[in-house]
Amino acid sequence: MDNVSMGNRLAFLQTVPPFSELPTEVLAGVADLLQEVEYAKETLIYKQDVTKLRGVDLLVAGTYETFFYDSEQHKRLPEEYGPGACYGGMSILLNKKRSIRTVVARKGTRVYFLHRRDFRALCLAYKDFFHYFTTRYGERMLNEEYAHFIRPTAAPEENFIAADQIYSRKIETLETRDLVECPGDTPIFEAAQRMARGKVSCLFVRDAGGPIVGYVTDIVLRDAVVAKCLDAKRPVADILATPIVSIASDAFVHEAILLMFQTKTRYLLIEKGGEFVGFLSRNKLLSDLAQSPFMFIQAVKLAQSPRELRLRWRKVPEIVNQLLSRGVKAELVNQVITTVADTIALKVIEGVLAEMGPAPAKFVFMVLGSEGRQEQTLLTDQDNAIVYEDKANEQRELVRDYFLRFASTVSDRLDQIGLSLCTGGFIAQNPRWTHSLSHWKRNYHEWIDDSNPETAMQFSTFFDCRFLYGEPEIMDELRAFIRTELERPLDRFLHYMATNALQYEPPLTFFRNFRTFTQGDQKVFDLKKTMTPIVDLVRVYALRHQVFQTNTGARLARLRALGVFTEKEYQELLQAYYYLMGMRLKKQARQLIDDRMPATNYLDPKDLTQVEQVTLKEIFKVIADFQVKIKIIFTKAL
């Protein structure tokens, strides 16, 4: 190699990160190892996850067009690499030498090629050089679409999840049934005739040409008409079943099934362009998905005893592990766990009511905290409360005594099944959290009006409340009251809620190492506390802007729609939160299944891969940045 050529290569390397950070004498040695390659015409040089790379390419002139192919061979996430760019480092280090993306070299492109053995030698010798590539990989993995295309596709076959299509398939691709309808004043016998002619087991009923107000099924006809010898000439409106539940045609199949379980409806109306275009039945969907986790939920629903429910709950870690192993999103896994827990709680509540007799007043059994947010993990306890309607003075003690006994029985039974009692006491069994509607209104008024650091920390979980059982109008009235309270000046309240969100700092030292504490013979950090700032800061923004969804992801989506968060901020927080959630669920599933030990939220950084460590550090930076923002906006001097 002549001195001019050597000088050119050395000068070029001094402009290319991370080579430019290497000592000059090292760069001179690297320059001597480079091989020059030129593409006289446009050439496909690497195929994603197929082509094994011999080394890295440093672009001197021209362009690399890089992208992912999806299942239909459409180009996704296209990106151009120009002069001074380096391609191949992440693929060699983090993708078993296979090219992460498909790469096309444009005509006239010229590169310097460095063999992978020499590239790896540099990585071993220079830590910062190695971290350049792992850090870039961690940053990109926060992009959900990017992570999707490099997620491992191979996974073992598992009993619970044979129907992967439910996670990617949309309702509009299914064969739905046409609506068969009638007005509410139609005689019952004529409604039955329409069902027979239409060969359907469900007839939808409209209110005098207006909206659909209910439906009639074969079971309704049996139980409400035949069994009671009801006159079949009476109007069908007298025997309607409810609720009427609908979903958009572009929703996913799993969303439809979860909605059916959560609302306890057997029939789901499909909406498109503001109109109902058909319906789905739960039985038909579940028969098509016989090996899915949703059949497991159905089995929980059919359980007849606390012992059966306990056995079902013990199987949940296996389902979670299998879902995660197939790349199912953490937010869906949360929903599956929550739906199983909800189904168990509903079975217990209904059983206790049957034993104790009808409640002496209308009431709501509501869930709080992670269950209220539909973000339960495998280390979960009970967080719940009871709100009952106000009664006359002479009935108050009787009513209160009933609901305290009811709450105690429900809580104890759930504890026996495996849903542990709340260690913090936020449970209906605690007399503080079983009260009349007027008492609950006073609670919320005091928390908002007389806010202080202690109340903000203790009672923030009550702003994540979700209806589970009872009379929805009671919950509606409580929410309407809270909405009115939040319309008042909230500086003090939001100040302390925001301060609460700043209590937990990301476990990262000044030198970007993990801050740990000793647990047994390990140095660990707490994943739950790491996630808590995201939950808390999103809750503060939700309360300020009167967003009444309780799920963190749903709150984020609504705040983005309102323009509170930019698309970039929304994506960063969403990806950070659910990456941590997925890591937490995997850890807990392994502890319960493989290690046969109780689940915890503790994680030893030494158990993480280099990629996971880098990704976590980027996430901690995202959280810290948002904490700075919330501090500036909400915690000004009072």
Side-chain angles (χ1 to χ4, degrees):
M1 184 184 302
D2 58 59
N3 290 333
V4 174
S5 178
M6 179 68 175
N8 288 343
R9 294 184 181 195
L10 179 58
F12 172 74
L13 286 173
Q14 289 171 334
T15 68
V16 179
F19 290 86
S20 55
E21 302 301 319
L22 296 174
T24 303
E25 62 272 18
V26 174
L27 281 185
V30 173
D32 194 43
L33 297 170
L34 298 178
Q35 303 171 32
E36 188 169 321
V37 181
E38 188 163 356
Y39 297 95
K41 60 180 181 179
E42 186 169 293
T43 308
L44 172 63
I45 54 176
Y46 305 132
K47 292 183 179 179
Q48 71 192 58
D49 215 33
V50 173
T51 309
K52 279 196 173 183
L53 298 183
R54 294 175 49 249
V56 295
D57 296 337
L58 309 178
L59 274 77
V60 181
T63 305
Y64 272 6
E65 179 190 4
T66 75
F67 50 85
F68 293 106
Y69 273 129
D70 62 18
S71 59
E72 296 181 353
Q73 296 301 295
H74 295 145
K75 293 181 181 180
R76 304 288 290 275
L77 294 176
E79 184 179 353
E80 290 190 348
Y81 283 43
C86 174
Y87 182 82
M90 292 189 296
S91 301
I92 291 170
L93 295 173
L94 304 163
N95 201 44
K96 298 181 179 179
K97 298 178 289 194
R98 298 185 185 278
S99 181
I100 288 176
R101 299 162 71 89
T102 296
V103 179
V104 175
R106 299 263 178 83
K107 179 181 178 180
T109 297
R110 186 162 56 93
V111 303
Y112 290 145
F113 170 80
L114 179 67
H115 197 281
R116 66 179 180 235
R117 65 172 175 269
D118 301 315
F119 171 72
R120 281 176 167 164
L122 290 172
C123 289
L124 288 171
Y126 297 96
K127 186 176 180 181
D128 289 344
F129 184 87
F130 171 70
H131 281 171
Y132 172 84
F133 297 97
T134 56
T135 299
R136 289 189 69 207
Y137 183 85
E139 291 169 347
R140 293 191 169 210
M141 284 294 286
L142 293 178
N143 180 314
E144 183 179 6
E145 190 174 2
Y146 185 95
H148 167 77
F149 283 113
I150 64 173
R151 183 178 291 135
T153 55
E157 289 301 319
E158 302 287 1
N159 292 333
F160 289 112
I161 313 153
D164 289 343
Q165 62 179 334
I166 62 176
Y167 306 114
S168 58
R169 193 172 181 184
K170 293 195 173 183
I171 293 170
E172 59 197 2
T173 67
L174 301 178
E175 183 180 348
T176 58
R177 301 297 303 274
D178 292 333
L179 296 180
V180 178
E181 306 176 14
C182 74
D185 58 2
T186 304
I188 293 171
F189 76 88
E190 187 177 322
Q193 290 173 349
R194 291 194 187 192
M195 292 170 68
R197 287 195 301 271
K199 297 181 179 180
V200 295
S201 59
C202 181
L203 175 77
F204 292 92
V205 179
R206 288 190 181 272
D207 183 14
I212 293 175
V213 292
Y215 60 90
V216 176
T217 66
D218 292 342
I219 294 174
V220 171
L221 292 173
R222 181 195 68 191
D223 294 350
V225 182
V226 178
K228 295 182 179 180
C229 296
L230 193 70
D231 184 357
K233 293 181 180 179
R234 291 179 63 172
V236 72
D238 291 351
I239 61 167
L240 293 186
T242 54
I244 290 295
V245 183
S246 65
I247 194 167
S249 62
D250 61 354
F252 290 100
V253 172
H254 72 258
E255 294 176 307
I257 298 172
L258 284 170
L259 183 60
M260 285 179 166
F261 280 114
Q262 290 162 1
T263 59
K264 298 195 294 184
T265 187
R266 292 179 177 274
Y267 299 94
L268 200 60
L269 288 165
I270 310 304
E271 186 177 356
K272 185 175 183 178
E275 297 182 355
F276 295 130
V277 295
F279 75 96
L280 290 170
S281 77
R282 190 170 73 192
N283 286 346
K284 176 67 167 61
L285 268 181
L286 291 178
S287 66
D288 291 343
L289 305 170
Q291 294 299 317
S292 79
F294 302 104
M295 276 305 292
F296 174 78
I297 297 172
Q298 180 74 346
V300 175
K301 189 177 177 65
L302 297 174
Q304 297 297 312
S305 68
R307 178 180 176 278
E308 268 191 271
L309 291 171
R310 183 166 61 251
L311 292 173
R312 295 292 180 189
W313 181 246
R314 287 177 179 174
K315 287 185 175 292
V316 172
E318 297 174 33
I319 294 177
V320 167
N321 190 50
Q322 293 160 20
L323 286 166
L324 293 170
S325 72
R326 300 183 80 88
V328 175
K329 295 179 181 179
E331 52 264 52
L332 174 58
V333 179
N334 282 150
Q335 288 186 49
V336 170
I337 298 171
T338 300
T339 304
V340 173
D342 283 356
T343 304
I344 289 173
L346 289 170
K347 293 286 291 184
V348 169
I349 290 169
E350 290 166 352
V352 173
L353 284 172
E355 294 171 12
M356 292 183 60
K362 294 179 180 179
F363 76 100
V364 161
F365 190 96
M366 64 182 184
V367 289
L368 319 163
S370 62
E371 187 172 1
R373 296 191 304 273
Q374 297 178 295
E375 295 166 4
Q376 284 183 285
T377 68
L378 296 174
L379 178 59
T380 188
D381 57 12
Q382 299 178 47
D383 289 301
N384 47 51
I386 291 176
V387 187
Y388 52 83
E389 66 178 329
D390 291 286
K391 286 289 187 177
N393 288 341
E394 62 272 15
Q395 295 179 292
R396 285 180 184 171
E397 290 304 316
L398 176 68
V399 170
R400 180 162 176 75
D401 177 68
Y402 174 94
F403 281 114
L404 285 174
R405 287 186 292 111
F406 167 76
S408 182
T409 306
V410 169
S411 294
D412 287 342
R413 202 158 291 177
L414 288 172
D415 184 51
Q416 293 164 11
I417 288 167
L419 292 157
S420 305
L421 297 172
C422 177
T423 55
F426 295 106
I427 190 169
Q429 191 180 62
N430 184 338
R432 293 184 67 188
W433 312 127
T434 290
H435 273 296
S436 66
L437 178 59
S438 60
H439 192 287
W440 275 104
K441 288 180 179 178
R442 285 197 298 275
N443 281 347
Y444 279 99
H445 174 79
E446 289 173 5
W447 295 335
I448 294 171
D449 197 53
D450 300 325
S451 187
N452 59 61
E454 184 179 356
T455 58
M457 182 175 292
Q458 287 188 351
F459 306 131
S460 59
T461 188
F462 287 96
F463 291 93
D464 296 338
C465 59
R466 177 171 63 88
F467 172 89
L468 184 65
Y469 183 92
E471 303 294 333
E473 59 265 25
I474 294 178
M475 194 78 175
D476 293 341
E477 185 174 340
L478 182 60
R479 282 206 185 99
F481 175 82
I482 297 171
R483 183 185 295 272
T484 301
E485 289 290 299
L486 292 175
E487 290 173 353
R488 298 190 288 116
L490 298 174
D491 289 351
R492 183 182 182 86
F493 171 67
L494 292 177
H495 171 90
Y496 288 122
M497 291 290 281
T499 301
N500 186 44
L502 300 172
Q503 293 297 312
Y504 304 105
E505 295 182 1
L508 203 61
T509 69
F510 181 79
F511 297 103
R512 288 180 65 83
N513 293 318
F514 290 100
R515 183 185 294 112
T516 60
F517 58 91
T518 301
Q519 185 72 22
D521 58 354
Q522 290 184 305
K523 295 286 189 179
V524 299
F525 64 91
D526 191 323
L527 265 173
K528 180 180 179 180
K529 288 186 177 180
T530 301
M531 298 171 66
T532 296
I534 300 179
V535 174
D536 289 345
L537 74 88
V538 172
R539 183 194 294 116
V540 173
Y541 277 103
L543 291 172
R544 185 188 196 189
H545 296 278
Q546 297 192 25
V547 171
F548 289 96
Q549 287 99 329
T550 58
N551 177 263
T552 299
R555 281 171 167 169
L556 277 168
R558 180 61 183 151
L559 290 166
R560 175 192 57 177
L562 292 173
V564 178
F565 290 146
T566 65
E567 179 67 23
K568 181 176 182 291
E569 290 171 331
Y570 165 75
Q571 291 293 343
E572 283 182 340
L573 278 175
L574 190 74
Q575 299 307 321
Y577 186 67
Y578 285 113
Y579 185 91
L580 291 171
M581 181 66 77
M583 184 170 281
R584 188 176 168 196
L585 289 167
K586 287 177 186 175
K587 168 74 173 179
Q588 292 175 355
R590 285 198 300 268
Q591 288 177 312
L592 290 165
I593 297 171
D594 299 337
D595 302 334
R596 301 293 178 184
M597 61 182 291
T600 71
N601 290 308
Y602 302 135
L603 194 61
D604 187 338
K606 289 189 297 186
D607 294 338
L608 301 175
T609 66
Q610 186 72 40
V611 174
E612 288 171 329
Q613 290 188 31
V614 171
T615 304
L616 277 182
K617 289 175 181 179
E618 290 302 317
I619 285 173
F620 296 159
K621 185 176 181 298
V622 167
I623 295 173
D625 289 346
F626 272 92
Q627 285 185 311
V628 171
K629 181 176 179 179
I630 204 171
K631 187 173 184 179
I632 293 171
I633 294 175
F634 292 102
T635 62
K636 299 172 184 175
L638 292 177

